[in-house]
Amino acid sequence: MIDKDVIIVGGGAAGFFAAINIAEQNPKLNIAILERGKEVLTKVKVSGGGRCNVTHAEFIPSELVQNYPRGKKELLGPFHQFMTGDTMAWFEARGVALKIEEDGRVFPETDTSQTIIDCFLREASKHNVSVLYNHALKTICKRQDTWQIESTQGAFRSKQVLIATGSNPKVWKLLETLGHTITPAVPSLFTFNIKDSRIKDIPGVVVTDVIIKVLGENDLCSEGPLLITHWGMSAPAILKLSAFGALELAKREYKFQIEVNFIKTPFEDCIDTLKALKQTLARKTVLKLPQFNLPKRFWQQLVLASGLTAETRWADLNKQELEVLAEQLTKAVFQVDGKSTFKEEFVTAGGVDLREVNFKTFESKLHEHLYFAGEVLNIDAITGGFNFQNAWTGGYLAAQAILER
């Protein structure tokens, strides 16, 4: 049985962040990270297409929490303690230069996630944090006031344990044996599989700003850029909808209809604009001149889907044809039949029930000296660096609570 002052289960973003913050502030503590795989920080490596989207340049806590379908209420207090600006300052103080992109996402200036990984490994080594590979968690139990942990490679004892294993069903099952409630995991952040003649031949086309809603008895709606892909639709408008609708869309087994307004204009206003175009562009063909700032190939698909031909001129449009075109622009319905994982960034909704955690310290309300950080909790966010910010904030506040003990 190996004794440690602090054991962190999980060698990902939250685990490393907590370990380094503890070790920096109290070098006397003997800290170990138990990682089940042969590599650490694997999610950091693939995040942001291999560039690592460290956080998001949103500096108001009440605004930041709007990006969390689950965890919004619980994270408001923690974000007042450790925020996006604190994250940026933390990395820059350790030699990682960061940059803010136009959409608010924050990346290392090097544009490679290896910069973040190297920073963590360097800091962990510098502060004598033991990183133990191939140590999958087998059992965890408490004897008096000490935690006993058995991994696939050995047994450990520690007063303080932080669980930062991400979406790991085996760990969730072990936590259930300790009395914790686990919200079942369902995918979040996924793209929509859609087979439709309107988008079949135009993968790669981007419509810059749309409104999408899921049809049925709910109020699921999102807006933002939309990307046509080989398998359907993606980009922020879809990913946001998938995150906020994760539970509802799972219930529907990922078969549902969406209605898309491609021009963010009400149907009636669109009709008025089309009538004006009928006058001003009377002799021009409808197909050749894209309107509403839509990409040309996309405009042409919607025109053809409205039953118009390549020769139809604006002057030829009757009332019914104007209405059908306006419907395609503002109320286009698509059948979604399944989902695809968004790149390698697999995010789930689900995890430790948030009512069982003290969010001042990220400590279990059921067991003293047991802490959680990151996606092991039932917290998830839309794409853009928000999931990592949850990991940094949780890891930091858990570290401060452990240090106080």
Side-chain angles (χ1 to χ4, degrees):
M1 188 80 69
I2 301 167
D3 286 306
K4 298 283 181 185
D5 293 313
V6 183
I7 288 178
I8 290 165
V9 185
F16 263 85
F17 203 71
I20 291 164
N21 277 289
I22 296 166
E24 273 184 348
Q25 292 174 63
N26 189 342
K28 292 177 184 173
L29 294 178
N30 188 338
I31 304 160
I33 295 174
L34 305 185
E35 166 55 42
R36 67 174 174 160
K38 58 180 192 293
E39 284 183 44
V40 291
L41 301 160
T42 51
K43 210 161 191 179
V44 169
K45 189 169 184 126
V46 299
S47 131
R51 296 196 296 144
C52 190
N53 186 183
V54 174
T55 186
H56 201 93
E58 171 53 73
F59 303 107
I60 302 165
S62 59
E63 292 295 320
L64 183 63
V65 295
Q66 304 304 322
N67 299 287
Y68 295 82
R70 283 147 292 275
K72 174 179 171 182
K73 176 167 65 82
E74 290 80 7
L75 287 174
L76 184 58
F79 284 157
H80 276 93
Q81 301 302 311
F82 192 88
M83 191 50 179
T84 48
D86 300 308
T87 297
M88 294 176 73
W90 192 95
F91 281 107
E92 292 188 331
R94 287 155 187 82
V96 178
L98 300 173
K99 60 176 178 177
I100 301 172
E101 299 202 337
E102 266 184 48
D103 59 4
R105 291 183 302 163
V106 178
F107 291 92
E109 277 188 1
T110 57
D111 273 332
T112 170
S113 55
Q114 196 59 46
T115 301
I116 304 299
I117 294 169
D118 290 345
C119 168
F120 280 149
L121 293 175
R122 183 174 63 247
E123 292 296 316
S125 171
K126 176 177 160 186
H127 297 289
N128 300 312
V129 174
S130 304
V131 182
L132 307 176
Y133 298 86
N134 301 306
H135 277 264
L137 188 62
K138 280 175 72 179
T139 64
I140 176 168
C141 63
K142 204 170 191 184
R143 296 277 181 269
Q144 293 165 326
D145 63 345
T146 301
W147 287 100
Q148 293 191 4
I149 285 177
E150 187 189 356
S151 83
T152 44
Q153 300 241 29
F156 300 84
R157 256 197 315 242
S158 180
K159 284 274 175 81
Q160 315 266 16
V161 172
L162 169 67
I163 307 289
T165 46
S167 305
N168 185 325
K170 288 180 180 174
V171 174
W172 281 334
K173 277 202 168 67
L174 288 175
L175 293 174
E176 279 184 316
T177 68
L178 296 175
H180 271 290
T181 309
I182 303 298
T183 304
V186 297
S188 177
L189 283 194
F190 48 84
T191 60
F192 294 176
N193 295 350
I194 299 170
K195 286 184 178 172
D196 191 291
S197 58
R198 289 167 289 182
I199 62 173
K200 182 177 172 231
D201 298 321
I202 54 169
V205 166
V206 175
V207 185
T208 51
D209 207 4
V210 308
I211 300 172
I212 306 180
K213 65 179 177 185
V214 175
L215 296 179
E217 290 181 22
N218 60 63
D219 54 358
L220 288 174
C221 186
S222 79
E223 49 190 86
L226 176 77
L227 168 69
I228 309 298
T229 68
H230 288 286
W231 57 89
M233 292 181 181
S234 183
I238 295 289
L239 296 170
K240 202 183 296 181
L241 203 57
S242 77
F244 280 91
L247 304 181
E248 173 65 27
L249 301 182
K251 273 187 216 161
R252 298 193 193 188
E253 298 181 326
Y254 308 105
K255 294 182 194 306
F256 53 93
Q257 287 186 317
I258 55 171
E259 182 183 279
V260 189
N261 186 330
F262 292 109
I263 59 174
K264 284 187 85 174
T265 301
F267 175 80
E268 292 76 14
D269 293 354
C270 178
I271 288 281
D272 292 342
T273 303
L274 292 177
K275 283 178 180 172
L277 290 169
K278 180 177 157 77
Q279 301 300 319
T280 56
L281 301 174
R283 294 187 177 186
K284 305 285 186 185
T285 57
V286 181
L287 192 76
K288 283 186 180 171
L289 284 176
Q291 301 299 319
F292 303 100
N293 294 316
L294 289 174
K296 186 174 185 180
R297 287 195 297 156
F298 189 65
W299 167 260
Q300 290 175 340
Q301 290 298 327
L302 293 186
V303 169
L304 296 173
S306 304
L308 308 180
T309 69
E311 286 73 42
T312 306
R313 296 180 311 161
W314 281 98
D316 302 332
L317 294 179
N318 60 33
K319 181 172 181 284
Q320 187 184 356
E321 286 169 331
L322 283 170
E323 286 179 355
V324 173
L325 180 56
E327 279 208 352
Q328 288 291 341
L329 290 163
T330 64
K331 297 180 179 180
V333 175
F334 294 85
Q335 177 66 43
V336 178
D337 189 15
K339 61 173 177 57
S340 296
T341 302
F342 176 60
K343 299 183 180 173
E344 303 92 341
E345 296 179 48
F346 187 64
V347 173
T348 59
V352 175
D353 191 311
L354 305 186
R355 290 169 297 186
E356 298 170 358
V357 179
N358 174 355
F359 280 92
K360 288 181 179 170
T361 58
F362 284 76
E363 186 176 21
S364 163
K365 287 181 180 176
L366 310 188
H367 300 281
E368 268 196 312
H369 311 300
L370 177 66
Y371 301 83
F372 304 106
E375 278 188 58
V376 70
L377 294 163
N378 184 23
I379 293 176
D380 62 288
I382 63 172
T383 183
F386 303 107
N387 280 300
F388 274 140
Q389 186 56 49
N390 168 43
W392 313 139
T393 296
Y396 182 83
L397 291 183
Q400 301 314 304
I402 288 167
L403 284 160
E404 282 176 23
R405 293 291 178 87

